[in-house]
């Protein structure tokens, strides 16, 4: 097992990894920017090294500085968390070249799955259902029109290098297609420096269902149930739950097995996620694979009892998975709400919910300064209950206790969400936000959320 791990991240995920390492008796080195000097990860890691100023491109994305720090401190491995360098094949390769283990899959796998069009092709060849669309990249508007006419409108134009919902546009007709294609292409060029595009049929109001998988370096692959992440705002997830209310047991099993097949086809190891869209007729289609630990991973941890970060570290160290598929059972129901900052400032008072079935993952403390430099997520409130209703009631209770002063957050909005009839009924899909946007605007206007 590793003796010392460098954490190339910040905030709640850095803390999450440090906590895991402490339990595993592994020392930690946190690299940080000057803006995070007084952060909990810096206080809690065994060692800390400042690697640059606040701007991420000059600190958390500075590959050489991070590798240097790892070498200087004698670290065996680097955990990249999510975001930043977590899906950067070049960085994973540099780690490999410097004899440091990257806690994640190999650079080749990251590269293969990061090219969304190539990943889709690989899945298609492995008999994993993919969304009908172009067979390869689409270079011109004429080609895009041809594909759209073949699969039928509406279509979704997507950037092969895309992420975070960028470089993606819908087109409902031939007239709209040209404009959508150009806009998506320009956005992709600006955001990723790569404007390779492909075209997919737009699945109307689908569910976003993703399967957590774990794979070791010995060929063992398991799935740990799904997460329903359909409640999103501008393609950003807000609330995640497991199990999904719309998935019948037989379909869960089938999709889980397909997810395992997808991971095997990619030669995958580490923790990973296979994302699908599911339509109203129970047809599911692979959309992409995430090759990192995800924000919403605690939802899966709470219903399986498996520590995913610990598994990631064990896998990276060459150990076998600690569970076989038969030993994994899904218990109860878990829900996560993401609490995001809507302003910056100093936190003058903070109280987190606790008690039975409540977990809060956060890097906040009273006196902490919320800065504008990084992701706006402040905390994840995750609850578990023996039934979905118990989990919902527990989430309401937890959010009633959640108190934060000094910055504006979406906590009240999340609270109101737990009383939304469609949410309670479990009858929601990715159109949830748009469907309720009038109500949401009204709440916001009246200052109640
Ligand atoms: P990104 O990597 O930018 O997040 P994804 O491919 O994961 O892009 O898609 C983001 C979201 O867009 C999904 O959660 C889903 O809601 C929606 N989406 C993606 N592909 C389709 C599709 N073919 N039809 C309908 N919705 C889709």
């Amino acid at each position: 097992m590793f003796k010392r791990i460098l954490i190339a991240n910040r905030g709640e995920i850095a803390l999450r990894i440090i906590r895991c390492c402490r339990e595993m008796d592994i020392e930690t080195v946190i690299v940080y920017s000057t803006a995070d000097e007084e952060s909990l990860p810096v206080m809690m890691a065994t060692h800390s090294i400042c690697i640059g100023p606040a701007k991420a491109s000059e600190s958390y994305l500075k590959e050489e500085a991070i590798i240097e720090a790892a070498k200087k401190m004698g670290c065996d491995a680097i955990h990249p968390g999510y975001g930043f360098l977590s899906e950067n094949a070049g960085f994973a390769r540099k780690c490999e070249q410097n004899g440091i283990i990257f806690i994640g899959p190999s650079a080749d796998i990251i590269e293969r799955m990061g090219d969304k069009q190539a990943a889709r092709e690989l899945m298609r060849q492995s008999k994993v259902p993919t969304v009908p669309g172009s067979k390869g990249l689409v270079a011109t508007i004429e080609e895009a029109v041809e594909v759209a006419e073949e699969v039928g409108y509406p279509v979704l134009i997507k950037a092969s290098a895309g992420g975070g919902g960028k470089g993606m546009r819908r087109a409902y007709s031939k007239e709209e297609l040209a404009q959508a294609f150009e806009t998506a292409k320009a956005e992709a060029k600006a955001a990723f420096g790569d404007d390779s595009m492909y075209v997919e049929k737009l699945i109307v109001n689908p569910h976003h269902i993703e399967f957590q998988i774990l794979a070791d370096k010995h060929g063992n692959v398991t799935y740990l149930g799904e997460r329903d992440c359909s409640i999103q705002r501008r393609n950003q997830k807000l609330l995640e739950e497991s199990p999904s209310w719309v998935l019948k047991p037989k379909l869960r099993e089938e999709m889980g097995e397909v997810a395992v097949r997808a991971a095997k086809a990619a030669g995958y190891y580490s923790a990973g996620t296979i994302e699908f869209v599911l339509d109203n007729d129970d047809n599911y289609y692979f959309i992409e694979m995430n090759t990192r630990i995800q924000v919403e991973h605690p939802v899966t941890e709470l219903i399986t009892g498996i520590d995913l970060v610990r598994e990631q570290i064990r896998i990276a160290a060459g150990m076998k998975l600690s569970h076989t598929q038969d030993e994994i059972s899904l218990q109860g129901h878990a829900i996560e709400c993401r609490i995001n900052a809507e302003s910056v400032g100093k936190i003058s008072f903070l109280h987190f919910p606790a008690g039975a079935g409540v977990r809060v993952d956060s890097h906040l403390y009273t006196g902490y300064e919320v800065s504008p430099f990084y992701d706006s997520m402040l905390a994840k409130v995750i609850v578990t209950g023996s039934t979905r209703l118990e989990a919902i009631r527990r989430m309401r209770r937890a959010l009633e206790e959640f108190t934060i002063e000094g910055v504006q957050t979406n906590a009240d909005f999340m609270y109101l969400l737990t009383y939304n009839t469609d949410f309670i009924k479990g009858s929601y899909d990715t159109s949830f936000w748009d469907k309720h946007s009038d109500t949401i605007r009204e709440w916001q206007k009246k200052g109640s959320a």
Side-chain angles (χ1 to χ4, degrees):
M1 187 36 74
F2 305 122
K3 288 204 163 49
R4 194 178 269 190
I5 293 177
L6 181 139
I7 298 155
N9 215 299
R10 61 176 304 283
E12 71 88 17
I13 194 64
L15 210 49
R16 167 76 187 85
I17 300 161
I18 291 170
R19 284 173 170 151
C20 182
C21 288
R22 287 178 75 131
E23 290 171 10
M24 294 176 82
D25 258 330
I26 299 170
E27 289 190 355
T28 48
V29 175
I30 183 91
V31 288
Y32 65 96
S33 78
T34 50
D36 284 329
E37 201 160 351
E38 291 178 16
S39 69
L40 280 184
V42 172
M43 293 180 224
M44 281 177 53
T46 324
H47 303 279
S48 60
I49 297 186
C50 183
I51 48 161
K55 218 168 150 202
S57 60
E58 290 169 31
S59 49
Y60 295 106
L61 293 171
K62 267 196 115 174
E63 304 179 20
E64 302 297 343
I66 295 167
I67 304 263
E68 273 319 301
K71 285 184 13 195
K72 187 175 145 210
M73 298 301 291
C75 297
D76 322 306
I78 296 185
H79 198 307
Y82 53 68
F84 295 128
L85 297 169
S86 62
E87 290 180 294
N88 184 317
F91 179 68
R93 196 160 284 128
K94 275 191 199 127
C95 291
E96 286 166 17
Q97 285 159 355
N98 282 279
I100 299 164
I101 292 188
F102 177 83
I103 302 179
S106 71
D108 288 347
I109 297 173
I110 298 175
E111 207 154 61
R112 200 176 311 151
M113 302 317 279
D115 179 340
K116 290 166 82 170
Q117 162 51 28
R120 226 170 131 243
E121 207 48 58
L122 176 69
M123 292 304 142
R124 207 184 348 241
Q125 284 162 14
S126 317
K127 306 257 179 300
V128 171
T130 53
V131 188
S134 55
K135 293 286 177 289
L137 293 174
V138 166
T140 62
I141 293 171
E142 291 70 34
E143 275 179 57
V145 170
E146 220 170 278
V147 176
E149 277 168 9
E150 196 185 306
V151 300
Y153 288 96
V155 292
L156 194 59
I157 298 143
K158 286 177 146 183
S160 198
K166 287 209 184 82
M168 207 157 75
R169 282 289 182 284
R170 298 171 179 198
Y172 288 82
S173 63
K174 189 177 172 185
E175 291 65 45
E176 279 180 24
L177 187 62
Q179 169 90 49
F181 189 77
E182 289 305 334
T183 326
K185 209 171 158 66
E187 194 173 286
K189 183 90 194 162
F192 316 109
D194 176 351
D195 61 359
S196 324
M197 310 301 289
Y198 63 102
V199 177
E200 271 181 8
K201 186 165 180 60
L202 178 78
I203 307 299
V204 179
N205 302 339
H207 294 266
H208 174 113
I209 307 283
E210 54 183 42
F211 274 75
Q212 177 69 52
I213 62 106
L214 280 175
D216 64 22
K217 295 178 181 171
H218 308 275
N220 303 302
V221 187
T222 54
Y223 71 93
L224 293 86
E226 77 286 3
R227 296 183 286 258
D228 193 323
C229 312
S230 302
I231 298 192
Q232 306 178 355
R233 179 191 184 201
R234 297 195 197 114
N235 292 313
Q236 295 292 322
K237 298 162 186 165
L238 284 176
L239 178 149
E240 301 96 347
E241 63 178 314
S242 185
S244 163
W245 208 230
V246 295
L247 222 56
K248 298 174 190 88
K250 206 168 154 289
L251 187 57
R252 170 170 304 112
E253 202 173 309
E254 183 183 322
M255 289 175 77
E257 281 164 12
V258 166
V260 166
R261 189 171 347 126
K264 282 188 175 160
Y268 198 80
Y269 59 81
S270 192
T273 303
I274 312 284
E275 295 191 339
F276 298 99
V277 282
L278 173 75
D279 72 13
N280 286 324
D281 300 317
D282 280 356
N283 298 305
Y284 59 90
Y285 309 95
F286 167 88
I287 50 171
E288 69 165 340
M289 177 167 196
N290 290 316
T291 57
R292 57 167 196 278
I293 192 82
Q294 284 186 280
V295 173
E296 58 273 26
H297 77 274
V299 165
T300 300
E301 295 186 325
L302 289 184
I303 63 155
T304 59
I306 296 173
D307 181 329
L308 290 171
V309 175
R310 183 166 184 270
E311 288 300 314
Q312 258 193 321
I313 294 172
R314 286 169 47 97
I315 293 165
M319 295 170 79
K320 289 188 174 159
L321 294 185
S322 61
H323 300 77
T324 62
Q325 190 67 57
D326 290 345
E327 287 165 351
I328 297 168
S329 70
L330 310 179
Q331 301 283 334
H333 198 97
I335 304 176
E336 171 180 277
C337 283
R338 299 190 189 193
I339 307 301
N340 297 323
E342 288 175 350
S343 71
V344 294
K346 203 186 191 82
I347 294 175
S348 51
F349 182 82
L350 184 69
H351 171 75
F352 281 154
V358 178
R359 164 173 167 183
V360 180
D361 279 17
S362 173
H363 55 296
L364 299 192
Y365 58 85
T366 302
Y368 178 82
E369 186 89 33
V370 177
S371 74
F373 302 111
Y374 312 108
D375 188 78
S376 65
M377 196 174 73
L378 297 179
K380 309 189 295 205
V381 178
I382 316 115
V383 298
T384 177
S386 56
T387 61
R388 183 169 187 266
L389 180 60
E390 190 174 278
I392 292 174
R393 297 178 76 124
R394 191 159 272 161
M395 180 59 83
R396 290 175 182 165
R397 186 274 281 174
L399 292 175
E400 279 165 11
E401 279 180 46
F402 191 98
T403 313
I404 181 164
E405 279 164 22
V407 290
Q408 304 290 316
T409 75
N410 68 338
D412 288 350
F413 167 76
M414 296 309 294
Y415 180 66
L416 289 170
L417 179 63
T418 63
Y419 282 91
N420 176 283
T421 322
D422 285 344
F423 171 68
I424 295 167
K425 285 195 282 193
S427 97
Y428 64 81
D429 55 42
T430 50
S431 69
F432 182 87
W433 185 275
D434 291 340
K435 189 175 164 198
H436 294 286
S437 59
D438 287 346
T439 318
I440 295 165
R441 252 196 305 277
E442 200 61 25
W443 286 353
Q444 283 164 340
K445 212 163 65 198
K446 293 189 171 146
S448 60

